[in-house]
Amino acid sequence: MTVRIAVLGTGGTIASRRDEHGAAQPVETVDRLTEGLVAGLGLRDVEVAARDLFVKDSSALTTADQAVIVREVRAALDDPAVRGVVVTHGTDTAEETAYLLDLVHTDDRPVVLTGAQRPADAPDADGPGNLRDALLVAADPAARGLGVLVVFDGRVLAARGTRKVHTHEVTAFAQPDGGSLGRVVDGRLVVDGVPAHREHLDIGLADIERVRVDIAAVYPGVDGTALRAFAAAGARGVVLVATGSGNANPAIVEAVAELTDRGVVVGLTTRVDTGPVAGIYGGGGGGADLVAAGAVPLGTLRAGQGRILLLGLLATIGDPAQVRAALPTYL
Ligand SMILES: NC(=O)C[C@H](N)C(=O)O
């Protein structure tokens, strides 16, 4: 039986070429990117159906675009002949799209995001190798049940927690623990682990397009201006990127208490690369004070994925007190 891999293109550096000023822009269709790769894979009875959803730099994607990606992945999986789905995506925001897909993905078949750090016209372009690996993983029965994956530079990473860790090197992504679920070695998937149990969310996609969740940074001397401005603009959630294990100052604690009273859910994360946030410190501005003021620690999730979780919960559950209560089960 012929198995089908659906490939959905969204743009990113993997689809980019340099213009006359040397600036890279996504212009290539995913058809052209996959052309020729499949024959070289030696996969018998595999058929690739590639099409573009859009051709954008991933920094320019909107929440509505991400909802389109989720809908189209689901539509592709409606075809029982499809064994897996590959999404080509810019690396800048792939962690957000991958996590949104993972939150809603209950199917055993793999969904694989990949991309590139070097444009398609670079002599040492990494896109073709990454796309080849992503197709191999999507077609491999051993990838069933692994959830949504980021396949990049030979590594197979679980969507949840995975972050972009380098601005331009080809090893662009890492899991928070530095590990991986597997590798692609000599054109074959080697599975090294199983993904941690994940609660799924049946997100109303029309609703996530309407919910506003912002991200506010903490730094020495910061006050509550940004938090209050986001609330005034209609934010129903704000992710606070705190310092250290999740700390700020008394002005931020006061603003967090105000937002909580107004029904805005404040998620607490950190600007530190690894480790969980926790309410350890007091003194009026520490993590313990932020939690007492209503902020909800986001575990090991960092700002981008924390925002996606808040969006999903607010779109699905709605009521802020219930969102705060449900949130820890998704960490
Ligand atoms: N490497 C990349 O794909 C970066 C690009 N700016 C993007 O996210 O679309």
Side-chain angles (χ1 to χ4, degrees), residues 31-290:
D31 251 27
R32 280 181 43 107
L33 300 176
T34 46
E35 234 172 45
L37 275 181
V38 179
L41 286 179
L43 289 172
R44 277 185 293 137
D45 304 325
V46 172
E47 158 193 314
V48 170
R51 69 192 177 86
D52 283 291
L53 304 181
F54 24 78
V55 184
K56 282 187 168 188
D57 189 289
S58 75
S59 300
L61 292 180
T62 61
T63 306
D65 291 332
Q66 291 175 308
V68 167
I69 298 173
V70 173
R71 278 193 202 99
E72 294 294 332
V73 167
R74 281 179 172 171
L77 290 170
D78 282 343
D79 177 353
V82 165
R83 182 182 277 179
V85 180
V86 171
V87 179
T88 57
H89 199 292
T91 56
D92 289 350
T93 66
E95 63 201 56
E96 277 108 325
T97 302
Y99 183 50
L100 179 61
L101 284 163
D102 197 48
L103 271 175
V104 302
H105 186 60
T106 51
D107 198 297
D108 261 358
R109 290 169 290 175
V111 173
V112 181
L113 271 80
T114 196
Q117 290 283 69
R118 298 175 182 149
D121 58 355
D124 51 357
D126 54 331
N130 285 339
L131 183 52
R132 188 199 58 219
D133 288 352
L135 290 166
L136 285 164
V137 171
D140 197 320
R144 282 184 80 92
L146 294 182
V148 176
L149 303 168
V150 175
V151 170
F152 216 93
D153 194 31
R155 297 180 182 190
V156 179
L157 305 167
R160 191 188 178 290
T162 285
R163 299 175 69 201
K164 185 168 182 178
V165 292
H166 203 287
T167 50
H168 59 264
E169 281 185 1
V170 294
T171 308
F173 291 95
Q175 287 180 188
D177 61 1
S180 68
L181 287 183
R183 296 157 287 145
V184 183
V185 182
D186 295 333
R188 289 189 60 82
L189 168 64
V190 179
V191 178
D192 297 320
V194 287
H197 171 76
R198 310 168 326 277
E199 287 296 333
H200 293 106
L201 253 182
D202 193 11
I203 300 175
L205 292 174
D207 295 329
I208 70 164
E209 295 168 30
R210 286 194 284 268
V211 173
R212 178 175 180 132
V213 176
D214 290 294
I215 299 176
V218 173
Y219 44 87
V222 66
D223 62 20
T225 305
L227 286 172
R228 292 189 181 97
F230 287 139
R236 291 177 53 204
V238 179
V239 174
L240 186 67
V241 185
T243 56
S245 55
N247 306 307
N249 63 35
I252 292 292
V253 170
E254 191 186 311
V256 167
E258 230 174 273
L259 262 62
T260 304
D261 279 353
R262 290 167 66 176
V264 179
V265 178
V266 179
L268 182 63
T269 185
T270 172
R271 64 185 193 173
V272 180
D273 279 347
T274 46
V277 290
I280 298 173
Y281 295 93
D289 302 307
L290 286 166

